[in-house]
Amino acid sequence: MAVSSRNTPIPERVEIRRALLSVFDKTGLVDLAKELSDRGVELVSTGGSAKTLREAGLDVVDVSDITGFPEIMDGRVKTLHPKIHGGLLGIRDEPEHKDAMEEHNIGEIDLLVSNLYPFEQVVASGASYAEIVENIDIGGPAMIRAAAKNHAYLTVLTNPADYRDFLAEFVEN
């Protein structure tokens, strides 16, 4: 078994029990979420993604229910919280991380599904300065980078074109 930079063993497979879905491009989101839900995965989501999933009849936990803090500032602040980033960054078999997660009631996030605001397209469209500024994504890149840093313990999907391959692997394993 491989070891991490902290000399802890890296698991070959991680069971996906909780998924955070927070996307701009909702292509394929409902089908992905239905398959996850049908296999017992808890769905956690934000704003428009949560609304889309609920409209499809899925049970979804709002990020604000996890953090105990509402989405604020027109949705600019929703996932930038220790209960989200701790769930993404916690090294699952590192005693200090496990203790901190337990002490602060931080649940593991095993799958992150996130894609970013279409900044380049908005700029190219000739949008107003205000619209361009609002399409500078902060939470999405922060979560994706956190998931990438802790890739041994969770999976990250950023492109709807990858959902089908992911689901095939998920169902098989």
Side-chain angles (χ1 to χ4, degrees):
M1 179 178 272
V3 294
S4 74
S5 61
R6 302 182 77 134
N7 290 323
T8 57
I10 296 173
E12 290 185 30
R13 293 185 188 184
V14 174
E15 182 180 347
I16 297 177
R17 296 176 305 267
R18 181 190 242 184
L20 172 54
L21 304 103
S22 181
V23 297
F24 178 84
D25 180 354
K26 293 171 183 52
T27 304
L29 181 66
V30 170
D31 291 337
L32 173 66
K34 280 183 180 177
E35 189 70 40
L36 293 169
S37 180
D38 287 349
R39 296 185 178 282
V41 176
E42 178 187 27
L43 305 177
V44 177
S45 194
T46 58
S49 298
K51 181 179 182 222
T52 297
L53 297 174
R54 281 196 184 93
E55 287 173 353
L58 294 165
D59 289 329
V60 180
V61 177
D62 286 311
V63 163
S64 59
D65 292 337
I66 303 276
T67 65
F69 204 87
E71 290 186 19
I72 60 172
M73 300 177 186
D74 300 320
R76 283 182 163 199
V77 179
K78 51 191 162 207
T79 59
L80 296 169
H81 192 280
K83 287 197 175 183
I84 299 302
H85 285 271
L88 294 169
L89 286 165
I91 298 173
R92 313 295 167 82
D93 44 17
E94 171 67 38
E96 289 179 30
H97 287 222
K98 287 171 67 171
D99 290 348
M101 291 174 81
E102 187 173 310
E103 178 183 348
H104 299 286
N105 194 29
I106 297 172
E108 297 172 352
I109 297 170
D110 308 303
L111 172 65
L112 172 66
V113 182
S114 183
N115 54 60
L116 307 180
Y117 299 158
F119 180 76
E120 291 177 357
Q121 293 92 326
V122 171
V123 170
S125 76
S128 70
Y129 175 80
E131 189 176 351
I132 290 170
V133 167
E134 288 309 310
N135 276 277
I136 298 172
D137 201 329
I138 305 300
M143 290 190 300
I144 291 167
R145 286 179 177 259
K149 183 170 185 165
N150 208 27
H151 66 276
Y153 301 93
L154 67 140
T155 299
V156 60
L157 293 171
T158 59
N159 188 334
D162 295 332
Y163 296 173
R164 185 183 322 270
D165 290 341
F166 165 79
L167 283 173
E169 182 75 20
F170 178 64
V171 168
E172 184 176 319
N173 294 302

